[in-house]
Structure formats: structure tokens, C-alpha cells
Amino acid sequence: MSSHVLADWLGLAPAFALALTGLVLFLLDIVNPEDASPTALAGVSVVGTLSALGLSGWLLAGGGGIVAEGGSVTLYGEALVVDGMALFFQALFAAVTGLVLIASYDYVRDRPYNAEYYSLVLFAATGMALMAAANSLATAFVALELASLPSYALVGYLKTNEGSVEGGLKYFLVGALSSAVFAFGLSLLYGATGSLILSDVAAGLREPAALVGGADGVAGIAAVGVLMVAGGVAFKTASVPFQFWAPEAYEGAPAPISGFLSSASKAAGFALAFRVFTVGFPLDGVGIDWMLLFQVLAVVTMTLGNFAAATQENVKRMLAYSSVGHAGYALIGLAAWSGGSLATVESGSVLGASMAHLMVYGFMNTGAFLFVALAEEWGVGKTFADYAGLGKQVPIAAVAMTVFMFSLAGLPPFGGFFSKYFLFAGAISAGYWWLAAVGAANSALSLFYYSRVVKALWIEESDGTTELAGTPTGLYAAVVVAAVGTLLLLPGFAPVIETAQATAAGLVP
């Protein structure tokens, strides 16, 4: 085997680290099913995830010589590509997965099927890592299913909890429908272009006259195919019109899994969408103006999500609907894209800003759901009123939750402010000031419901009936690490946004 082949395989090291760790956990459970220590299982899973994070960071920084600046390598007949964007998202998935696994130690240690729980999280993360590297519609579908199937089981993990089972069933049914839509869409695109490799699909759509049936024969088929693929992506990102599963699934799932799905899984959907639509579906193709589609989806998704969040009394459901709103913000990256033959610096900038927002969102949103998990562990209720007075009882965790809320709202000087600033500025630079205006208006609305949590924590008085028993070490540590990560992204935001925009610019043909 040549050194070149070895180097190519090294590009998949982050995904291999996640998958192998999941298999090791299965083996540990098989060898010693009765006495498998929750501490050992959690420790192995966290070590594997940190290894994936370190490998993706090392490769992104130029380690191994695989990905030079602006470069990439393709594997398995171009089915997979390892480039800056794939590694950026793989680092994000590994970081969020690590936080979730640390927090899960306290949440699941007294429940059955610990090994299966950790393995399913790692296999879902493996699917997400492959979604970011998918360079073929077939690979994209397989990776999407690898990420989705473990997620269905994780939502229904609390088998004796009616909400968990109901949420898992609804998530599975909607997911199965969206998978069918996605598969049908890619089959139509294969019929129209004769290939599932993204660059070949793009070439076929640019020169349809050379294909069987000519331009008139493929234009309609390809347009329907693109629309159906967009539907599959909308499900994974919890965007309109496939957002209705999110509140039920997030509310019923174990709180760490809610954070995992609303951050890592959502980012994986966007990673897939960014590559498929910018590389595979050229705007100068057979009259397929998917930018208009995403402009409509962005506005409707962010507005519907924020208005629904503002009407909630349950904190977990509020966070679920707010995650729908943030999907709308992230969609601006595609809504303002003008690549292809109209390639501009602004296209890379706004797409990179969307990636950077997803990175910041991964820390602040996961941290918010982990605080909810902490409250559930203490037996605190689910509503805003139930959080009254927690600031005096658990000041460190309450400060962390305050950071998450204000950062999600986009207030300065928190990370969410900078990520939204670059996102909206990128949209304005690309000529879509009205998208930035809608985003800013929705951010102002979101301040209303995020502030309700802060008000309950620090201003409202507790009724004195809630006694917090103990300090769940893993959960507490994960909340603090997420808050520190959110704050550290402030001084380090220039490298984050520069890396994101540089990797996004690499997608411009």
C-alpha cells in the first residue's frame, strides 16, 4: 500500500475513531454484560470522541498533508471527499458529542442498556461525520440513515416514559417519510443526469442537451428531484415544512439527547445541504432557482419557530421551537448563495458565516438543554415558573444558563451576537438586506422568551418547596464546559469565522 493511499485513508480518521469506539463498547457489553461499569463505558466513549475531535482539528490545521489550504482528497470513486468543510463539521460533531456523553453519565448510569446508549450516540455521530464528507447522493442517503436510525432509538430510550416513546415513534414515522422523499428525489436526479456523483450531476444539469431526452426531457424531472432532496434536508434540519416532529421528539427524549439532536444532528443536515446544493445543483443549470426556495424557507422557518417559542410555558419545548428558529438563521447561508458561474466572494462569506453560527450554536444550545437535564435530575419542574430562584441555589449553573440564553438571543458580547452579526452582514453584502432585516427582527422577538428564563432564575422568588439533591458531576461539568466553550469562542471568533469562510469559499466552483 503506497503512502499516498495511507494518507487518503487518514482523512477518514475522525469517522473511524467514532465508529470503532462504538464497536468497542458493544464488545465490552458482550464480554461482560452484567458487570459493565457505567464509569468505564462513559470513559471509553468520551476518550473515543476526544480522539475524533483531536484528529479532525489536526487534519484541519494541515496535519498529515492531506488537506492543503483550499485542497481536498476524494475516496471510494469520489463517493466521499475530505476537505476543510468536512473537517470543520466533524470537529463540531465530535465536540457536541463529547459534551453529551459527559452529561449522559449521570443521566443514564442507573438505567439499563448503558452500552447500547453510548454506542448509538457514537454511531449517530459517525453518520453525521459521513454526511459532512458525502460527495455522492447515494453516500448522502446512506450517511443520513446511519445518523437517523440510532437517533430514533435514542429518543425512545426511556421505555417506561410515555412521552419518550411517543416522541420516538413520531420522529421515526416522519423520518421514514422524509427518507422516502429524499430517495425518490435522488432517483429522479439519477434518471435525469445518469450519475449520483455531485460534480457529474452538476455537469449534467449545466449541459442537459447532451443527455438522453435533451433539455426539455430532463428539466422537469431534475426540478422535482431537487425539490424532493430539499424536503429530505428540511426534515434533518427541522425546517419548515418538516419541523413539527421537533417539539415532540425533543420534549420526550432524554435531555442530553435533545441537545445532541438539536445541535449536532441539525448541523449535519446543514453540512449535507451546503455541499449538495452548492456543488451538485448549479444555479445556471436547467432553470432550477433553488435560492428562491431557501429564501422562502429561511423566512418562514425563523418566523414560525420564534413565534411558537414565544407562546410556550415549558422550557424544553421553548428550546425546541427556538431551535427551529435558528434553523431559519442558518438557512440564510443558502438563501444568499450566488455561486456557480456567478461565484462571488460574498457567497463564501455568507455560507462560512452560517457554518460559524452553527459552531457557536452547537455549544450554547447543547449547554441550554444540558441545564434542562440538570433541572430534571434535581426534580425541578418543566415550566418557567419552576425555575424561579434557582440562581440563588445553584449560581454557577445559573450563570452558565444565563450565558446560553443571552448568547442564543444574540446579545453582545456573547458568541451568538458575533455569529449573527457576520451572518446578517454577509447577507447584506450579498445583496439580501431584507433577509438580514427579517433575521434581526426575529432575534429581537427571541429576546422576549429567552429573558423569561433569566428572569425566573435571578429575579423571581422560589416557593421554597424545591430541594436540590446532590450535584451530578458529569452534568454539571458538561454545562460549565459548554459555557466556557461559548465564552472562549469570543476571543477566538476571528479564527473560527476565518476558517469557516475559507472552507466555504473552497466550495465555489
Side-chain angles (χ1 to χ4, degrees), residues 382-430:
K382 299 179 179 179
T383 66
F384 290 97
D386 295 324
Y387 282 36
L390 284 181
K392 295 178 181 176
Q393 295 174 277
V394 285
I396 295 177
V399 167
M401 186 62 167
T402 303
V403 169
F404 300 142
M405 293 296 98
F406 285 155
S407 188
L408 283 165
L411 287 184
F414 301 102
F417 166 76
F418 289 99
S419 62
K420 286 185 180 178
Y421 169 79
F422 282 105
L423 184 59
F424 298 158
I428 293 171
S429 298

Side-chain angles (χ1 to χ4, degrees), residues 432-451:
Y432 297 95
W433 62 267
W434 55 274
L435 274 174
V438 174
N442 275 279
S443 292
L445 171 61
S446 72
L447 182 60
F448 161 70
Y449 56 80
Y450 287 132
S451 296

Side-chain angles (χ1 to χ4, degrees), residues 114-200:
N114 272 215
E116 289 83 350
Y117 174 92
Y118 290 118
S119 296
L120 289 171
V121 172
L122 288 161
F123 289 143
T126 304
M128 296 171 194
L130 294 177
M131 285 171 69
N135 193 42
S136 156
L137 290 172
T139 308
F141 179 75
V142 173
L144 181 67
E145 292 304 295
L146 179 57
S148 298
L149 292 175
S151 300
Y152 304 146
L154 287 168
V155 171
Y157 173 73
L158 306 175
K159 295 172 64 177
T160 57
N161 183 305
E162 184 177 338
S164 179
V165 175
E166 180 182 348
L169 180 60
K170 288 182 177 177
Y171 187 26
F172 168 74
L173 292 175
V174 179
L177 173 64
S178 69
S179 293
V181 170
F182 186 87
F184 196 15
L186 65 90
S187 70
L188 291 177
L189 285 163
Y190 180 79
T193 65
S195 178
L196 292 174
I197 302 297
L198 294 179
S199 57
D200 294 340

Side-chain angles (χ1 to χ4, degrees), residues 322-368:
S322 80
S323 77
V324 175
H326 278 272
Y329 301 140
L331 281 172
I332 291 177
L334 282 175
W337 173 265
S338 56
S341 61
L342 303 174
T344 62
V345 174
E346 285 77 14
S347 289
S349 296
V350 70
L351 195 67
S354 185
M355 291 168 56
H357 181 67
L358 288 168
M359 173 66 84
V360 178
Y361 178 76
F363 281 93
M364 58 189 180
N365 191 63
T366 303

Side-chain angles (χ1 to χ4, degrees), residues 38-39 42 46 99-111 114 117-118 157-158 254 256 370 373-374 376-378 469-479:
T39 304
V46 171
L99 283 175
V100 169
L101 291 174
I102 292 171
S104 295
Y105 170 69
D106 294 301
Y107 204 91
V108 303
R109 66 180 173 182
D110 296 326
R111 304 178 192 274
N114 272 215
Y117 174 92
Y118 290 118
Y157 173 73
L158 306 175
L370 294 186
L374 201 56
E376 289 182 359
E377 188 73 9
W378 281 324
T471 303
T473 308
L475 266 170
Y476 221 103
V479 168

